[in-house]
Each structure stands twice: as C-alpha cells, then as structure tokens.
C-alpha cells in the first residue's frame, strides 16, 4: 500500500465516489452533500492505494494565517479513514508525515502547525506515537501561549461551533463511527493517553471533536515518527530513481 499526495482539484469523479463509499462504510451520518462540502474546502488529499484499489485517505486544508503577531501556516485535517483490514500498515503514518513535512516548503519562513479534530481515540493516539510535543495531553498542561494559539486557530476555523471551555467542536450533523469501531477495548482504556481522551471528550460517541495542536517539524518527531519520515524519504527517492 502506497500513499499519494494529490491536489484536491485533480481528484476525479471515480476517486471521489470511492472515497465516499469508504467513509460511509466506517461512519454513520455521511451524506453526499457533507462529503462533497468537506472535500471541496480542502486543497490536498492523501490517497492510500493498492494497485487499482483505494484503501484509505485523508483530506487536508493547508493555509496561511497570522496569530499573536506571527505569520503561521496550518494543516487542518478533514475526513480521514483507513480500511480496517489495513490498520496494521504503517502507510498512513509514513505517507502523512512525509507529505506534511514536504508541504512546509509551500510557506517558507512560517512555522507549520497541525490543527487536528478527533472524535476517536485511535486518531488521538497518533499524536503521542509520532509527535514529541502536542496538546492537550495528560502529562503536561498546555503552556499559555500554546493554549492561546490553539483557541485562536479553532475560533478562526470553526467560529461558534467551537466550545473553548470544553475544548471541542460540535458540528450540526456529526459523523460517528459505526458499530464495533466505536468500542474501546478494555486493554486500551489503561493507556493514559486513551483514558485522557475519553475523559476530556466525553461526547466523542456523539461526534464531538477534540481540538488538538502540534507543530509540524522534523525536530518535533518522536523516534517512531523519525523512522516514518526516513522511510518515506527512502520511498520517495526510490520512486524518483525508478522514474
């Protein structure tokens, strides 16, 4: 399974249909209208593919902004899903990290931040596995400047749908995980990051989205994240050599 970063404008009708069907298979509340609205507001799409078959995707909005007197760039993640049979593959992590680090080049001189909404503990857990510093988290309170930046970016992006006292975004028509995908295995509840997420976002089963922030920079990668970055670079160089 390989990742392919594509400008959203280049996504054709067949790919859009495959993406929507994959999302519908895993989430309740997906409609053609909500799917198209989410996709059309993004400017990049990461496709995870086996030859001739879509296995997962993540939509991205990358944009410049200014907060606290500093020019920044932001990656906001939209719809993201990987087929359950492919959960053991590192392709999403490797391709996502490689892609967003490459997208930093679009905004030279600006620090790049990941603005993540998550209504599932698996996505939240991605933060602690691959990023050294992120917020909110169970073991370190967010420094005041980070807390201020997170709230400012969330208000800018989501307006009244953002509830700063709870740290969540509530959409009028939320998407929720289907069936067993919404279950939290007992063993996972012992993970401090998972238990923190469940406590911090008690409305996750209804589709409440916890707002998270991490700086996207190679020096903020964990050892595991660095391995994903290095693997992605090797894959990119091999592809260029083959071309």
């Amino acid at each position: 399974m390989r990742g392919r970063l594509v400008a959203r404008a280049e996504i054709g009708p067949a790919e859009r249909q495959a993406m929507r069907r994959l999302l519908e298979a895993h989430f309740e509340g997906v409609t053609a209208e909500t799917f198209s609205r989410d996709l059309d507001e993004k400017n990049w799409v990461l496709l995870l593919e086996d030859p001739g078959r879509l296995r997962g995707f993540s939509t991205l909005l990358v944009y410049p902004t200014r907060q606290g007197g500093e020019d920044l760039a932001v990656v906001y993640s939209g719809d993201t899903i990987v087929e359950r049979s492919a959960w053991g593959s590192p392709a999403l992590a490797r391709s996502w990290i490689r892609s967003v680090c490459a997208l930093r080049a679009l905004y030279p001189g600006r620090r790049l931040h990941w603005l993540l909404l998550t209504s599932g503990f698996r996505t939240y857990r991605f933060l602690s596995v691959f990023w050294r510093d992120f917020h909110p988290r169970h073991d370190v309170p967010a420094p005041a400047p980070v807390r201020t930046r997170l709230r400012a970016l969330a208000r800018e992006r989501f307006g009244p749908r953002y509830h700063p006292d709870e740290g969540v975004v509530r959409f009028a028509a939320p998407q929720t995980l289907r069936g067993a995908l919404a279950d939290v295995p007992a063993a996972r509840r012992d993970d401090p990051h998972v238990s923190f997420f469940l406590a911090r976002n008690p409305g996750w089963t209804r589709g409440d989205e916890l707002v998270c922030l991490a700086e996207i920079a190679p020096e903020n990668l964990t050892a595991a994240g660095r391995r994903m970055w290095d693997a992605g670079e090797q894959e990119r160089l091999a592809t260029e050599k083959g071309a």
Side-chain angles (χ1 to χ4, degrees):
M1 189 165 64
R2 296 288 185 90
R4 180 165 62 100
L5 185 66
V6 182
R8 190 268 304 160
E10 297 177 5
I11 298 293
E15 289 171 316
R16 292 176 73 106
Q17 185 178 51
M19 290 167 64
R20 180 163 63 88
R21 286 178 175 173
L22 187 60
L23 199 66
E24 288 173 339
H26 294 79
F27 284 90
E28 302 276 3
V30 179
T31 66
E33 180 183 358
T34 58
F35 171 78
S36 292
R37 184 170 59 244
D38 180 89
L39 179 58
D40 290 345
E41 75 168 5
K42 305 303 187 296
N43 46 22
W44 295 94
V45 180
L46 176 61
L47 300 173
L48 300 176
E49 301 165 316
D50 281 338
R53 181 185 175 192
L54 181 70
R55 302 291 298 279
F57 69 88
S58 181
T59 64
L60 306 170
L61 176 63
V62 186
Y63 62 95
T65 189
R66 185 172 178 82
Q67 295 290 345
E70 182 180 358
D71 290 328
L72 303 172
V74 176
V75 172
Y76 162 50
S77 295
D79 288 334
T80 300
I81 191 64
V82 175
E83 196 174 70
R84 190 169 187 174
S85 62
W87 280 3
S89 170
L92 174 62
R94 182 175 65 240
S95 301
W96 198 95
I97 290 171
R98 180 193 65 194
S99 296
V100 297
C101 285
L103 287 170
R104 292 201 313 160
L106 297 176
Y107 298 98
R110 294 174 182 251
R111 294 164 62 196
L112 182 64
H113 288 73
W114 182 19
L115 181 64
L116 169 68
L117 297 189
T118 176
S119 62
F121 72 90
R122 295 177 182 87
T123 303
Y124 178 77
R125 194 68 178 83
F126 185 95
L127 286 164
S128 62
V129 173
F130 298 112
W131 302 99
R132 297 174 60 191
D133 188 43
F134 64 91
H135 295 282
R137 56 190 297 164
H138 76 95
D139 52 346
V140 179
V146 174
R147 186 168 60 250
T148 297
R149 174 161 293 167
L150 185 155
R151 290 182 173 183
L153 292 173
R155 287 193 184 97
E156 177 186 57
R157 182 87 252 139
F158 308 110
R161 295 170 294 181
Y162 173 54
H163 300 265
D165 291 344
E166 300 168 82
V168 302
V169 168
R170 291 192 180 97
F171 293 109
Q175 296 174 175
T176 58
L177 287 165
R178 287 185 179 275
L181 294 177
D183 294 338
V184 184
R188 298 302 298 271
R189 291 179 180 272
D190 294 333
D191 183 310
H193 294 287
V194 174
S195 61
F196 171 82
F197 171 82
L198 298 176
R200 185 65 181 267
N201 186 17
W204 69 276
T205 57
R206 300 188 301 272
D208 285 4
E209 305 268 4
L210 183 67
V211 184
C212 306
L213 191 68
E215 184 170 359
I216 296 172
E219 58 269 21
N220 195 31
L221 291 167
T222 63
R226 191 72 211 189
R227 287 194 296 273
M228 293 295 102
W229 166 251
D230 291 342
E233 283 295 283
Q234 291 173 9
E235 180 181 297
R236 180 183 63 82
L237 292 172
T239 300
E240 289 179 356
K241 185 177 179 180

